[in-house]
Amino acid sequence: MNNGIQGFEYQEGVLHAGPIPVSAIAEAIGTPTYIYSADGIRSSYRRLERAFSPLGAHPHYAVKATSNLHICRLLRELGASMDVVSGGEMERAWLAGTPMEDIAFAGVGKTVDEVRAALDGRFSPLVGHAERFGRIEIESRGPVGMFNVESVSELVRLQEIAEDLGVAAKACIRVNPNVDPHTHEYTTTGKDKNKFGIDADLVPGVFEDFAGHPMVDLIGLHVHIGSPVRRVTPFVEAVQVLLELIEMLDQAGHSISLLDLGGGWAVDYVAGESPGIEAYAEALVPLLEEPVRRGLKVILEPGRSITANAGILLTRVQHVKQGRTRRFVICDAGMHTMIRPALYQAFHFIWPTVVPVEMVPREFSERPELPGLHECEIVGPICETADFLARNRPLPDVSQEDLLAVFSAGSYGMSMASNYNDHGRPAEVLVDGDRAIVINERQPLAALFETERVTRELELGVG
Ligand code: LLP
């Protein structure tokens, strides 16, 4: 197969994860199930690291892409730091063995409780629970390496809490460069109409007003313009805005030592859709080489480019229904398992896991050139018309109980799964060499009802 998939391959018409037929995993643990390839993750991580090595740019894995503790651990073993956007993700990153100083805490709506826990482990909601995960030093773990701050209001809150706790913090200002990433409007984050970051022209004023605070050191700038960004130029435009700002700030006496370039690099959902990580790096390295030589440190926050193509979602066909105008392939995965098609009209290549050899697709395309395909609506069990994995999709003959693989599902699949219509969340399996390791059991239905007991009545002192 000629595509960006990492670690999955058809052998004699049978889809394998490494040496293991994925159908064996489905037999053992059921469906829907996410399967990740450890080798796939390792190789895309190293490829990204290599591409940006002329800048010495250190990857902070964007935990939101696939947040499973074991995936975080795997990336940690490769040397990744972690980019988190909530208190929950911060605890995951830490439980996965990341020292707090290797965690960057971003996100537009950090709460007081989250900031306190990020500064001082005594305020972590995991106090009393962390031992179960092999970490005992929670109360003395120290502050996160840095905060990426998205508003003046947030910066003021951070300063107040840092002062109150007597804990010093480092922060970058997230800049909104007003650059169009030419991606779905829901994942566009660097335009001035988006809620993210501080408008570039307002940033010098923020440094004027807030730099030099005794407890919060403004060390750098952060930018993330959207995801996936399939063109190179928006990144170049954003970096140009940031470099101008750094220059301007420098002249005003604010030296910037760190530039966080965010993430957003595209992958091949369809063959050839992404320019490839090297192409992004080739465009950005020349812009940043000189500032790096002069001491600027560059960090990256890749998510999708590490895990997307190293994961698939396995689903079993429950029913095939030929309607008057459409053929519906009804699966046990749907918008509750993988919401990207419903939410962004995102394309994922989907194919049976066992096909005659001549029906193995040579590359992932929207219209594979193979004989005997039928247009199908590949849908889930959820009671919504938005519940589809693919529309008008040519598929070979499929029948009840067949397994389908939803490819490129390793990012923003499981991490966006929900319990809608009261389905437990899927299982996750990591294939490493010849081992298939369950890294997350299918969520038992009983767990859904766990917190839904009448436990107490609130004493509100009213009425
Ligand atoms: N840094 C920041 C501040 C971000 O907001 C994100 C993604 C990343 C890094 C990582 O971006 P990546 O390298 O994975 O593209 N749910 C959507 C994607 C939302 C991305 C959110 N932020 C999807 O399924 O396509």
Side-chain angles (χ1 to χ4, degrees), residues 62 64-65 83 85 106 150 174 187 189 196 222 224 226-228 262-265 269 301-305 340 344 411-412 416:
K64 65 176 86 62
D83 161 60
V85 292
E150 306 230 9
R174 177 166 177 177
T187 56
T189 55
F196 299 98
H222 170 224
H224 173 79
S227 167
W265 298 291
Y269 289 95
E301 296 171 351
R304 191 189 311 270
S305 47
R340 302 191 70 254
Y344 317 117
S411 293
Y412 305 109
M416 296 178 82

Side-chain angles (χ1 to χ4, degrees), residues 60 81-94 98-106 110 113-121 138 140-149 154 158 162 165 167-172 215-217 219:
H60 283 52
S81 293
M82 299 285 152
D83 161 60
V84 305
V85 292
S86 70
E89 285 189 357
M90 178 182 71
E91 299 301 347
R92 270 182 186 282
W94 183 73
T98 316
M100 291 301 273
E101 66 258 30
D102 287 349
I103 298 178
F105 191 176
K110 300 178 195 77
D113 287 347
E114 287 176 322
V115 173
R116 287 164 81 91
L119 288 172
D120 184 335
I138 191 160
S140 59
R141 70 185 182 183
V144 289
M146 69 178 200
F147 291 84
N148 283 336
V149 169
E154 184 195 333
L158 174 60
L165 300 178
V167 179
K170 292 188 194 121
C172 286
M215 300 309 278
V216 179
D217 192 4
I219 57 167

